[in-house]
Amino acid sequence: MTQRTEQSPLELLKQRAFLLSAIRDFFRQREVLEVETPVLSSAANTDLQIEVFQTQAIAENNQQAFLRTSPEFFHKRLLVAGSGDIFEIAKVFRRDEATQLHNPEFSLLEWYRLGYKMRDLMAEVVELIQYLRQQFDLPAMPVKHYSYQQIFNDYLDFDPFVVNEAELNQMAQQAGYHGEPLDRTAALDFMFAVQLEPKLEKNQGYLIDHFPIEQAALAQAHPELPDRCLRFEFLWGGIELANGYQELTDANEQLNRFEQDNQNRLAMGKTALPIDQNLIKALQQGLPACSGVAVGVDRLLMCLLGLEDIDQVLAFSANSA
Amino acid sequence: MSVYSTSQFKNGLKILLDGDPYTIVENQEVKPGKGQAFNRVKIKNLKNGRTIEKTFKSGEKVDAADVMEKDMQYLYTDGEFYHFMDPETYEQFEAAKEAVEDCIKWLKEEDICTVVLWNNSPLTVEPPNFVELKITETDPGLRGDTSGGGGKPATLETGAVVQVPLFVPEGEIIKVDTRSGEYVGRVKK
């Protein structure tokens, strides 16, 4: 393993190497296979809020290529093909994301566990965080577990599954939102990102699960509560570090969601994007029951080192790349 | 009227909100992993100086405020308005009392100051950081006391009152920092 050194601006490259090495050790001990999957794909992520980089075709049978925004589609194809548990430290790309916590090109640690329920994977995320804290000579982190509903109740004093769009807009305006009325999902995003996250304690971990079904992406619906899904996040203080799902295995449902994404994109004046038919085909063959999660590696390093700006942990940020 | 997108937001940008001109003091983009992005800004109302927090959906357009700063010469007051002149174009502007409230006590005729224009009329006036003004009234100090330990109030030719060291006499020209209102030193003429 690479030796860890004390923090100083010139040592950050070594700190990153140390972190990557510690992550690989963690998964080696658990016999999770490291994989590499393509950066370029003929299909795109249709997610409404993620902007994809586009470039020339990779092969003769396609017209254009897209830089991946996540390795998840390839990972599911590997799982269908019988890879077993896998992880990847993947460079991913998202246009128009440059803030204190975003860089258009960043590293995602993505992993999948066969047979894991959402709860099992949530526990493993916390184990990874605690393992890495230990490696970085930090004490174990207290972690609180909330449902999406409970954390809204506790911190913002309302039930996100009961409140209606008009009430949400009224609250948003009182909290300083200026502009056209927000749709329900965007208003909840406002409440979560602008109102709730800044209230969270700095050195506390937060596991939040059972997000609204509209925010499911690739997660299964909740078996008993149809307005919720089996999606979770891990936040370090107010910073979103991990996003995970008990994975949707139903090919038709997945195709419907991609098509709905494209409808939403068109309604917002964006272009529809080519759906990953290879993924749909793989799901039709049968994705084994599994859960998967993605962790922002740059943010993780930032948090472990107590830094506040993602630029501080990048060798070259967007402005100098 | 020109507009700005939130992606152009940066400190110092002048925007129009609910009819008032504001300057952006702080701009923070907030983006949940799977959700709507927002720009959270601290903005200062250029009319009353109050700072407030607002949040915009990223990608929204906001009207630009036609605000600019110009160095101008203070000419005179007619009792109701304060008159300034752009030394380059000789164009004259009149400012209402509210616009000069905080700074007029530092200005004497012919001084150069910064005038903030909104829709081509003075919104606020900022004095130079340092001004040199004559003391028109102050108690006689203690002879030979140059320690600067104590202080006394002194009225300047523009009407401003500042604390000066005990040894500084009436009739002296002194340098004052207008940001803090503090005496800096005597000016040897």
Side-chain angles (χ1 to χ4, degrees):
Chain A
M1 194 193 247
T2 314
Q3 276 299 304
R4 190 171 83 87
T5 47
E6 285 309 304
Q7 179 185 337
S8 85
L10 295 171
E11 296 293 335
L12 282 167
L13 291 176
K14 288 181 183 174
Q15 302 277 18
R16 178 177 285 265
F18 177 80
L19 172 62
L20 295 180
S21 159
I23 291 170
R24 291 192 162 103
D25 281 353
F26 179 84
F27 288 107
R28 195 177 301 126
Q29 285 161 19
R30 290 164 185 244
E31 296 180 1
V32 179
L33 180 70
E34 179 164 12
V35 295
E36 277 193 4
T37 60
V39 166
L40 285 172
S41 170
S42 61
N45 182 352
T46 53
D47 193 302
L48 179 65
Q49 303 293 358
I50 295 180
E51 295 301 318
V52 188
F53 281 98
Q54 196 172 338
T55 187
Q56 283 85 0
I58 334 161
E60 280 170 15
N61 61 355
N62 49 57
Q63 284 152 5
Q64 68 222 310
F66 301 91
L67 274 69
R68 64 179 173 188
T69 62
S70 154
E72 60 197 341
F73 297 171
F74 288 113
H75 285 195
K76 288 186 174 175
R77 288 164 67 186
L78 288 178
L79 294 167
V80 169
S83 65
D85 296 336
I86 50 174
F87 82 97
E88 179 170 6
I89 297 171
K91 269 291 177 119
V92 299
F93 306 84
R94 299 181 185 181
R95 266 173 51 212
D96 301 335
E97 295 193 4
T99 78
Q100 246 190 310
L101 293 175
H102 297 85
N103 195 61
E105 166 176 348
F106 63 103
S107 296
L108 264 190
L109 162 64
E110 178 113 7
W111 82 93
Y112 286 83
R113 292 294 228 151
L114 295 184
Y116 270 42
K117 299 280 185 206
M118 179 172 73
R119 286 237 161 198
D120 305 326
L121 192 61
M122 288 167 78
E124 190 163 56
V125 168
V126 174
E127 282 159 25
L128 172 72
I129 298 293
Q130 304 295 23
Y131 174 79
L132 294 173
R133 284 182 66 101
Q134 195 183 5
Q135 298 302 309
F136 277 77
D137 297 328
L138 298 170
M141 180 178 233
V143 176
K144 285 185 184 159
H145 182 180
Y146 290 94
S147 67
Y148 188 87
Q149 183 178 42
Q150 194 59 48
I151 202 163
F152 270 74
N153 267 322
D154 281 14
Y155 282 84
L156 302 176
D157 218 17
F158 72 90
D159 184 336
F161 294 99
V162 169
V163 72
N164 66 35
E165 198 171 298
E167 290 164 334
L168 275 170
N169 270 288
Q170 204 185 347
M171 286 191 278
Q173 268 172 27
Q174 277 167 9
Y177 172 70
H178 191 278
E180 296 292 307
L182 297 163
D183 66 40
R184 203 189 144 74
T185 300
L188 286 174
D189 286 339
F190 173 87
M191 287 298 165
F192 193 85
V194 180
Q195 294 300 111
L196 193 151
E197 284 181 2
K199 289 189 164 72
L200 300 180
E201 277 173 64
K202 233 181 161 183
N203 277 308
Q204 169 83 46
Y206 297 86
L207 276 172
I208 305 171
D209 61 10
H210 297 146
F211 277 67
I213 188 73
E214 296 81 13
Q215 301 177 31
L218 277 65
Q220 274 178 32
H222 191 292
E224 285 110 42
L225 304 165
D227 56 353
R228 293 157 220 203
C229 64
L230 301 182
R231 172 184 162 199
F232 71 93
E233 285 198 356
F234 177 83
L235 283 80
W236 179 313
I239 297 174
E240 295 174 26
L241 263 195
N243 179 52
Y245 311 127
Q246 187 164 319
E247 301 290 343
L248 182 64
T249 52
D250 181 331
N252 289 332
E253 171 65 20
Q254 188 61 71
L255 184 58
N256 287 342
R257 287 194 196 170
F258 286 155
E259 282 169 351
Q260 185 59 51
D261 279 348
N262 270 335
Q263 297 290 328
N264 293 343
R265 293 185 68 86
L266 291 171
M268 293 260 301
K270 299 180 177 182
T271 50
L273 292 166
I275 288 169
D276 193 338
Q277 297 299 342
N278 289 322
L279 172 67
I280 300 297
K281 269 183 226 153
L283 293 178
Q284 283 162 353
Q285 285 178 45
L287 177 68
C290 64
S291 291
V293 62
V295 175
V297 174
D298 312 278
R299 285 186 189 177
L300 180 58
L301 182 57
M302 220 180 87
C303 289
L304 286 165
L305 298 178
L307 300 173
E308 310 236 303
D309 195 320
I310 199 164
D311 284 1
Q312 293 173 287
V313 297
L314 299 170
F316 302 98
S317 63
N319 290 329
S320 57
Chain B
M1 187 182 281
S2 62
V3 293
Y4 295 120
S5 159
T6 56
S7 60
Q8 294 170 281
F9 277 12
K10 57 171 193 249
N11 291 358
L13 195 77
K14 311 289 191 295
I15 60 170
L16 194 64
L17 211 65
D18 302 329
D20 276 359
Y22 287 85
T23 184
I24 296 180
V25 188
E26 204 181 303
N27 171 43
Q28 189 196 10
E29 266 185 86
V30 181
K31 182 169 181 0
K34 297 276 174 191
Q36 174 67 49
F38 294 96
N39 282 68
R40 193 178 185 190
V41 293
K42 278 199 181 122
I43 50 177
K44 187 169 133 190
N45 186 317
L46 292 172
K47 276 162 80 177
N48 60 26
R50 279 179 49 215
T51 300
I52 56 170
E53 273 192 30
K54 286 279 172 194
T55 303
F56 300 89
K57 223 155 102 174
S58 296
E60 286 290 288
K61 303 267 192 290
V62 181
D63 287 331
D66 180 15
V67 171
M68 60 174 184
E69 291 181 355
K70 263 193 168 165
D71 281 346
M72 291 196 200
Q73 191 173 41
Y74 170 51
L75 298 177
Y76 64 95
T77 174
D78 57 22
E80 189 183 0
F81 290 102
Y82 296 78
H83 297 263
F84 295 84
M85 183 181 71
D86 181 340
E88 283 171 15
T89 62
Y90 302 109
E91 193 182 351
Q92 292 194 20
F93 297 84
E94 53 176 41
K97 206 167 249 155
E98 301 78 59
V100 301
E101 220 160 27
D102 296 331
C103 83
I104 199 66
K105 65 177 176 184
W106 303 119
L107 291 181
K108 58 181 200 292
E109 291 174 7
E110 294 180 22
D111 277 352
I112 298 291
C113 53
T114 307
V115 177
V116 178
L117 293 171
W118 178 37
N119 297 331
N120 221 30
S121 77
L123 185 63
T124 56
V125 180
E126 287 155 23
N129 289 343
F130 296 100
V131 290
E132 293 177 0
L133 295 168
K134 191 186 213 168
I135 298 177
T136 53
E137 200 191 326
T138 189
D139 289 339
L142 300 167
R143 270 185 94 81
D145 179 2
T146 53
S147 69
K152 60 177 181 176
T155 308
L156 307 179
E157 56 186 310
T158 53
V161 177
V162 296
Q163 285 290 315
V164 299
L166 293 173
F167 61 83
V168 181
E170 205 168 283
E172 193 92 359
I173 294 172
I174 61 164
K175 189 174 178 182
V176 181
D177 186 330
T178 60
R179 292 161 296 185
S180 58
E182 277 170 13
Y183 165 90
V184 177
R186 288 194 286 180
V187 180
K188 302 256 156 40
K189 285 273 159 151

